[in-house]
Amino acid sequence: MLEHVPLFINGRAEPAPAAVERLVLEEPASGEPYAEVPLCAADEVDRAAQAAQRAFPGWRDTPVIERARVLFRYRQMLESESEELARLISHDHGKTLPDARGEVLRGIEVVEFACGMPTLIQGATVQDVARGIDTRSIRQPLGVCAGITPFNFPVMVPMWMFPVAIAAGNTFVLKPSERVPRAAVRLAELAKEAGLPDGVLNVVHGGKAAVDALIDHPGVRAVSFVGSEPVARHVYRRAGEQGKRVQALSGAKNHLVVMPDCTWDKTIEGIMGAGYGSAGERCMAVSVVVAVGDAGDVLIGKLRDAAGKLKVGRGTDPGAEMGPLITRQHKERVLGHIARGVDEKATLALDGRAHPLTARPGNFVGPTLFDGVQPQMSIYQAEIFGPVLSVVRAATLEEAIALVNGNPYGNGTALFTNSGAAARKFENEVQVGMVGLNVPVPVPLAFFSFSGWKNSFFGDLHVHGRDGVQFYTETKTVTARWFGDGESAGARNMTIALR
Ligand code: NAD
């Protein structure tokens, strides 16, 4: 019996009307169907957006400290439910349980950040911009905001958006990935249990039709998107043409640069987690390792040994370090990339196709390692989003930086070295949004803003941190003067009060 994933509109989980098309979801580890999700079109999106529009005036006028209190309670509920959420993520996405636990924690951190909204939303004042005239700027919420999220972080990425939007006084319609929709519904149910008024947070499901209807809805003022580059470009263009505020976080091809003076055990450990963790399905996953100078030969041997020992399995298997890919279609796509890498004459140092689990039911592909990869090869250019690492050689740090900067994406990068001078040069010159120095995945932290550069991001304001607060609020600047004599006005008011 398949579970029917509900919509969440106006404070209630409800089934989609029978006429709405449905997608059957299969568990990534086994290929077994477990649920079906409605693929909404304009009608359901309109109902959700209207519920959010109706809820907005009351929520906007709720004092920010009361809004923050709801989030404090939400934070507690999320923590109590964190293990269930992690298990849900691990089942629906396939990532390992420790990875899923980390994801939930990162999401909770955004709620903690948003609890500070009474401070974060403060404006600015200048007294006496002219004699007797004061000017202040205040930040006000926009109205209904929309979030469109990818499959690879079913909890964390939605929570990059709605806790900040809601704490700032907006209402929200979330359209999670249709491939992992259950976690979003649970997040909305918990928010209601925490005291969030009906209609403030709504969830609809679907693909392109739902996304386009949400962007086009006249009640939606701002759109936050995270996903692949072609869709990010589409969302950015479509929302921008309608004069809406938009931030679109996009695809990636992250390089990790290894200097010959690195601390080898930490470097290899870091690359294993960053390259193969979550089966490479992270926007911050390392996809290209750049070996500088004579680091290459040592590196490839150590990487082959370590990757060959990684424990692949169902996400809940004790000790599993890497789970399956999200769908059968994505597995076929990743296998196609490996075949093209071989055709293009990259050296296949470890063939994930030969891993015993690759041939079994479920979407497993074993860790794969290519050496001698050249920038013109398709495995270098494509965002594979799978457990496939490419090693490229560079003669100098200068050359490695030029390679990173020449890539159209600029999401994350890292340098492993013991040279402060090399690290300083790298940090200064590299054209990438998130940089790790001896840290393989510079993870998003709620109180900083997060995003890539170049084709990894379309927009101006990044997610969460101070940028997130700015994104979900609009500045109003008020200039005021008051006539008469403050003394006598005060006396008049006092007389009225005493009557
Ligand atoms: P995706 O682009 O296929 O889907 C993202 C969202 O867009 C989903 O909600 C989906 O329903 C919707 N969508 C899909 N096709 C659409 C279309 N034609 N028109 C309108 N909407 C459409 O992405 P995905 O496969 O779910 O996620 C993986 C991608 O997300 C990778 O490229 C990864 O790098 C990226 N990502 C980026 C970041 C970041 O911070 N930059 C974070 C996580 C994931």
Side-chain angles (χ1 to χ4, degrees):
M1 195 50 186
L2 296 182
E3 177 183 327
H4 295 269
V5 182
L7 313 174
F8 194 88
I9 298 179
N10 203 27
R12 273 204 321 275
E14 53 174 77
V20 170
E21 201 188 324
R22 278 154 167 83
L23 174 74
V24 172
L25 302 174
E26 294 169 353
E27 188 198 7
S30 64
E32 289 296 319
Y34 67 92
E36 61 171 30
V37 62
L39 301 177
C40 299
D43 284 357
E44 273 56 53
V45 170
D46 179 50
R47 276 198 309 118
Q50 285 204 32
Q53 275 181 292
R54 282 193 304 275
F56 176 59
W59 185 241
R60 174 196 56 202
D61 292 344
T62 302
V64 62
I65 198 156
E66 287 179 31
R67 296 199 301 256
R69 276 189 198 122
V70 174
L71 285 158
F72 274 111
R73 285 196 294 276
Y74 189 40
R75 188 224 164 270
Q76 286 312 111
M77 304 195 67
L78 287 165
E79 190 170 85
S80 310
E81 181 99 357
S82 58
E83 187 60 19
E84 287 78 0
L85 281 169
R87 285 185 181 275
L88 184 76
I89 295 171
S90 180
H91 176 277
D92 292 5
H93 174 281
K95 67 178 72 175
T96 65
L97 201 48
D99 219 11
R101 288 183 184 126
E103 168 177 353
V104 174
L105 186 62
R106 288 270 114 79
I108 290 175
E109 284 168 2
V110 182
V111 180
E112 289 168 349
F113 169 74
C115 285
M117 196 53 73
T119 310
L120 294 167
I121 206 167
Q122 287 173 7
T125 305
V126 175
Q127 213 178 15
D128 288 320
V129 289
R131 284 180 207 288
I133 300 183
D134 306 328
T135 298
R136 62 180 181 273
S137 73
I138 54 176
R139 306 206 68 89
Q140 295 193 314
L142 304 169
V144 180
C145 301
I148 300 151
T149 54
F151 79 85
N152 62 330
F153 286 102
V155 163
M156 182 184 79
V157 172
M159 292 180 76
W160 284 353
M161 305 170 181
F162 73 79
V164 182
I166 283 171
N170 301 282
T171 56
F172 207 87
V173 181
L174 171 63
K175 206 300 290 169
S177 168
E178 65 278 28
R179 289 180 270 174
V180 289
R182 297 196 302 166
V185 176
R186 192 65 198 127
L187 291 178
E189 286 171 346
L190 287 171
K192 182 182 165 89
E193 286 172 40
L196 195 69
D198 293 348
V200 175
L201 175 61
N202 308 275
V203 181
V204 292
H205 303 295
K208 180 172 172 50
V211 168
D212 288 352
L214 198 50
I215 296 171
D216 296 348
H217 196 283
V220 170
R221 292 277 326 273
V223 180
S224 299
F225 172 87
V226 178
S228 61
E229 185 196 346
V231 186
R233 285 183 183 277
H234 165 75
V235 169
Y236 184 66
R237 197 176 299 122
R238 193 166 180 133
E241 273 169 7
Q242 299 179 55
K244 300 194 179 189
R245 193 172 280 205
V246 53
Q247 53 182 184
L249 283 72
S250 161
K253 189 79 184 175
N254 304 315
H255 295 56
L256 184 149
V257 178
V258 178
M259 299 294 284
D261 72 341
C262 69
T263 301
W264 277 108
D265 56 340
K266 296 289 176 204
T267 305
I268 301 302
E269 188 187 309
I271 297 173
M272 288 301 107
Y276 299 116
S278 203
E281 291 174 324
R282 291 189 190 129
C283 63
M284 297 296 284
V286 167
S287 173
V288 179
V289 182
V290 187
V292 176
D294 59 6
D297 290 341
V298 186
L299 177 77
I300 199 78
K302 287 180 183 288
L303 285 182
R304 191 194 298 111
D305 286 353
K309 289 185 194 135
L310 284 175
K311 187 163 179 224
V312 185
R314 180 183 280 276
T316 46
D317 284 354
E321 292 167 291
M322 192 184 115
L325 293 165
I326 183 72
T327 55
R328 265 183 293 151
Q329 294 82 340
H330 188 47
K331 173 175 176 172
E332 290 311 316
R333 199 181 148 267
V334 171
L335 292 175
H337 278 299
I338 298 174
R340 267 192 297 285
V342 174
D343 289 348
E344 288 171 336
K345 306 273 183 289
T347 308
L348 188 55
L350 184 66
D351 187 354
R353 297 172 301 181
H355 193 283
L357 280 182
T358 307
R360 299 256 295 274
N363 311 324
F364 293 97
V365 173
T368 300
L369 181 66
F370 279 107
D371 192 12
V373 174
Q374 302 290 328
Q376 70 279 8
M377 294 179 178
S378 65
I379 47 168
Y380 178 80
Q381 289 173 1
E383 182 185 26
I384 299 175
F385 227 52
V388 181
L389 261 185
S390 294
V391 174
V392 178
R393 316 277 180 127
T396 59
L397 176 61
E398 198 81 41
E399 207 181 284
I401 292 174
L403 186 72
V404 177
N405 289 349
N407 196 277
Y409 293 113
N411 212 38
T413 190
L415 176 73
F416 274 72
T417 184
N418 279 305
S419 158
R424 189 169 187 279
K425 178 180 171 68
F426 187 76
E427 173 185 337
N428 187 36
E429 294 181 12
V430 86
Q431 290 160 17
V432 174
M434 309 292 297
V435 180
L437 300 175
N438 294 316
V439 170
V441 181
V443 291
L445 289 167
F447 34 93
F448 286 101
S449 295
F450 174 81
S451 175
W453 284 14
K454 299 190 283 184
N455 288 354
S456 293
F457 178 66
F458 305 103
D460 302 291
L461 292 167
H462 296 178
V463 289
H464 55 65
R466 294 207 171 262
D467 274 18
V469 178
Q470 279 199 52
F471 184 80
Y472 291 120
T473 53
E474 208 157 24
T475 306
K476 186 181 275 177
T477 301
V478 181
T479 299
R481 70 176 154 165
W482 301 93
F483 302 111
D485 170 350
E487 279 294 327
S488 57
R492 253 199 321 273
N493 287 344
M494 184 82 77
T495 322
I496 293 164
L498 288 172
R499 268 197 208 130

